[in-house]
Amino acid sequence: DAGVTQSPTHLIKTRGQQVTLRCSPKSGHDTVSWYQQALGQGPQFIFQYYEEEERQRGNFPDRFSGHQFPNYSSELNVNALLLGDSALYLCASSQSRYEQYFGPGTRLTVT
Amino acid sequence: QQPVQSPQAVILREGEDAVINCSSSKALYSVHWYRQKHGEAPVFLMILLKGGEQKGHDKISASFNEKKQQSSLYLTASQLSYSGTYFCGTERLGTGGSYIPTFGRGTSLIVHP
């Protein structure tokens, strides 16, 4: 059983560009959450998707948007990239609120 | 709103014990604990629920004091594999009726042979 997978592994973008990150949840999981983790910090909640709708959102600007597909996979889109968006982006899937399985993350570098 | 973890770092030898604390200024519905090794994804260890229910790891224990809004993670007879950064996560009820997780800054644990 594959766990949570994310692509790409690494990404380098220029300020002002747009980026799309992808996540496939663990089999049987219907909820996907996205986090931003800066170096030396804990994961910061961006938003959560359930049944193809954004269920909850953290304190992130509208430049951060997402989508969940019928197969529960998800995308995170970030527009107008800033240097401060450089971070590890983690996707986590769950079947309930009791346990989240994290993917390996996408390391985004904005230059 | 971010939970506060202490200490920031712990260095110990194999077989020693460690305690990591997590406190919040807000009422807690639950506390989650994760361990993240360098370059890897966080791995779920345990969740403690309001009311005393606990789900998680066999070899690691934790406590949850709802009145004090605190939780502690107890690592006994530590092994080299325990090294990593430990995060506590708390939840607040969001406007959508589901829970929004918030993580602390982490506690770095290094176990030496």
Side-chain angles (χ1 to χ4, degrees):
Chain A
D1 174 30
V4 179
T5 59
Q6 292 186 243
S7 63
T9 307
H10 295 89
L11 205 52
I12 300 175
K13 289 287 189 178
T14 305
R15 273 181 301 176
Q17 286 188 316
Q18 177 264 345
V19 68
T20 297
L21 310 182
R22 296 177 175 81
C23 171
S24 290
K26 184 176 170 61
S27 178
H29 287 187
D30 56 9
T31 302
V32 173
S33 300
W34 285 93
Y35 294 85
Q36 180 194 67
Q37 186 176 28
L39 205 59
Q41 302 292 320
Q44 299 296 309
F45 177 75
I46 302 175
F47 42 53
Q48 182 182 82
Y49 277 84
Y50 172 71
E51 292 188 344
E52 301 180 53
E53 289 194 1
E54 183 181 289
R55 182 158 69 174
Q56 287 293 353
R57 189 178 184 90
N59 293 326
F60 278 80
D62 293 343
R63 298 187 296 110
F64 289 78
S65 63
H67 189 76
Q68 185 178 36
F69 299 93
N71 66 353
Y72 306 123
S73 67
S74 177
E75 287 181 350
L76 163 66
N77 300 294
V78 186
N79 294 323
L81 284 167
L82 304 173
L83 294 178
D85 295 332
S86 295
L88 179 68
Y89 288 85
L90 295 164
C91 166
S93 73
S94 58
Q95 200 173 22
S96 71
R97 60 183 271 240
Y98 294 138
E99 184 173 353
Q100 292 189 96
Y101 287 81
F102 281 86
T106 294
R107 173 72 61 186
L108 173 65
T109 302
V110 182
T111 62
Chain B
Q1 293 181 350
Q2 182 180 37
V4 176
Q5 290 186 233
S6 63
Q8 288 186 335
V10 181
I11 301 174
L12 57 154
R13 293 202 177 277
E14 222 175 344
E16 293 180 338
D17 301 338
V19 180
I20 300 173
N21 301 302
C22 175
S23 63
S24 174
S25 60
K26 302 280 186 180
L28 297 177
Y29 294 96
S30 68
V31 177
H32 302 231
W33 287 96
Y34 288 81
R35 177 171 60 214
Q36 186 176 27
K37 292 184 180 287
H38 183 69
E40 299 181 10
V43 173
F44 171 82
L45 294 176
M46 178 170 300
I47 179 171
L48 301 105
L49 303 171
K50 201 171 181 179
E53 190 178 358
Q54 177 176 311
K55 298 176 183 293
H57 206 278
D58 290 335
K59 297 182 180 180
I60 296 173
S61 63
S63 64
F64 181 19
N65 187 321
E66 297 166 32
K67 285 186 178 179
K68 291 186 177 180
Q69 296 162 187
Q70 293 175 346
S71 176
S72 295
L73 187 71
Y74 304 97
L75 305 164
T76 56
S78 59
Q79 305 170 17
L80 295 176
S81 63
Y82 287 8
S83 293
T85 301
Y86 290 77
F87 293 101
C88 76
T90 58
E91 293 176 319
R92 59 183 176 89
L93 196 58
T95 53
S98 60
Y99 294 90
I100 298 177
T102 307
F103 286 88
R105 292 193 165 200
T107 294
S108 175
L109 181 80
I110 299 173
V111 181
H112 287 298

